[in-house]
């Protein structure tokens, strides 16, 4: 059974200036433990797809299922990590990570100890009592990941989590995050506009059209050599071919969005 299913999903935002159709007839199936990336021009509805899966928005039409059950509001099965880390500057890193637990009423000893373990595992053991402003961009994103995973979600939604980082940090963090999510056997949906990042990290890539977004193309990524490392993936002989093909499909979407 699919972990996440979208069937004929439409989303139209309504505000004072009128209606904005963001998604039209989106179909999507994500298997358990699969890593899927969504690529598409800016404004095509990628973040909307994640917010719908997270139960933060309701579709205008169509169905969204998690483990075959219709989504009805937010669920502890879903972890959502946004581009901006949303760490609270007045709380230290440990208490930022505990925040999600507190909101869910799960801030007991056992959960807090697990959260501490995650921080240590992600190289932040020495920074637990520091404040967000004292951390680098990459460390902040690792703290935000710890906060998301402390809630033990089964599905992790990542909205351009690396886009504000410099290139070197981004490559290192891609590698770390991919390893962590594979080890913890999470189902992952990553939104990015970086084609190379999508190829390096994903089992499958979905390309969306310009707004209203709909699935335009799909690629199952098979790279020879060491597969689980995004860094090694970039050296695989097939990498360039995927890049070229996805680039040309995205070009059409971008042209339509202009
Ligand atoms: P992406 O993440 O691909 O850049 P979004 O999902 O954020 O795209 O947005 C898709 C479209 O819907 C955009 O044109 C955006 O302006 C519009 N949109 C997003 N959120 C709202 C909202 N709350 N009200 C009205 N329009 C919105
Ligand atoms: Mg977005």
């Amino acid at each position: 059974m699919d972990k996440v299913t979208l069937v004929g999903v439409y989303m139209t935002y309504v505000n004072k200036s009128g209606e904005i159709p963001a998604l039209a007839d989106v179909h999507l199936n994500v298997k358990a433990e699969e890593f899927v990336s969504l690529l598409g021009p800016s404004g095509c509805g990628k973040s909307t797809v994640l917010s719908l899966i997270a139960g933060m928005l309701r579709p205008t039409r169509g169905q969204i299922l998690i483990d075959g059950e219709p989504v009805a509001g937010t669920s502890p099965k879903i972890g959502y990590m946004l581009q901006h880390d949303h760490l609270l500057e007045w709380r230290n890193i440990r208490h930022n990570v505990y925040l999600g637990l507190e909101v869910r009423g799960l801030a007991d000893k056992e959960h807090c100890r697990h959260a501490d373990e995650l921080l240590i595992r992600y190289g932040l053991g020495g920074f637990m009592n520091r404040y967000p402003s004292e951390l680098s961009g990459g460390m902040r994103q690792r703290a935000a990941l710890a906060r998301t995973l402390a809630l033990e979600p089964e599905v992790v939604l990542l909205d351009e989590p690396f886009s504000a980082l410099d290139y070197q940090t981004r490559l290192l963090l891609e590698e770390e995050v991919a390893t962590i999510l594979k080890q913890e056997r999470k189902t992952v949906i990553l939104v990015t506009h970086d084609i190379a990042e999508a190829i390096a990290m994903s089992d499958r890539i979905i390309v969306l059209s310009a707004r209203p977004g709909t699935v335009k193309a799909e690629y199952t990524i098979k790279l020879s050599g060491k597969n689980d490392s995004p860094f090694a993936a970039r050296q695989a002989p097939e990498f360039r071919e995927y890049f070229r093909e996805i680039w040309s499909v995205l070009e059409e979407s971008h042209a339509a969005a202009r």
Side-chain angles (χ1 to χ4, degrees), residues 35-193:
F35 194 125
V36 171
S37 288
L38 299 181
L39 274 172
S42 150
C44 78
K46 301 180 295 297
S47 298
T48 301
V49 170
L50 295 191
S51 297
L52 286 165
I53 295 169
M56 294 162 67
L57 291 175
R58 289 179 71 85
T60 309
R61 234 172 91 187
Q63 264 202 316
I64 300 158
L65 309 169
I66 308 290
D67 291 324
E69 301 278 332
V71 168
T74 57
S75 154
K77 285 187 180 177
I78 310 286
Y80 195 175
M81 189 171 141
L82 303 166
Q83 174 177 354
H84 179 72
D85 58 44
H86 293 283
L87 295 174
L88 301 178
E89 299 296 341
W90 61 89
R91 281 189 164 220
N92 68 25
I93 293 304
R94 173 189 266 137
H95 285 103
N96 262 288
V97 173
Y98 291 174
L99 183 65
L101 295 171
E102 288 167 18
V103 170
R104 291 254 169 86
L106 291 172
D108 52 61
K109 254 199 192 134
E110 195 185 328
H111 282 92
C112 289
R113 198 171 50 223
H114 176 239
D116 289 349
E117 277 168 21
L118 291 180
L119 281 170
I120 293 164
R121 223 184 295 158
Y122 304 165
L124 295 171
F127 293 85
M128 294 202 279
N129 299 320
R130 300 290 191 88
Y131 288 82
S133 64
E134 300 177 273
L135 270 63
S136 68
M139 290 168 110
R140 289 179 67 122
Q141 284 304 79
R142 289 206 301 258
L145 182 68
R147 186 184 51 194
T148 304
L149 296 186
L151 294 164
E152 303 185 332
E154 295 169 23
V155 179
V156 179
L157 310 175
L158 302 169
D159 198 350
E160 309 202 24
F162 312 117
S163 60
L165 304 170
D166 61 80
Y167 186 66
Q168 193 81 11
T169 307
R170 171 191 284 240
L171 287 190
L172 288 170
L173 207 62
E174 275 177 15
E175 188 79 18
E176 289 172 7
V177 169
T179 307
I180 289 163
L181 295 172
K182 270 274 179 297
Q183 273 172 359
E184 308 211 355
R185 307 179 63 177
K186 303 295 184 193
T187 305
V188 186
I189 305 177
L190 169 74
V191 162
T192 176
H193 51 240

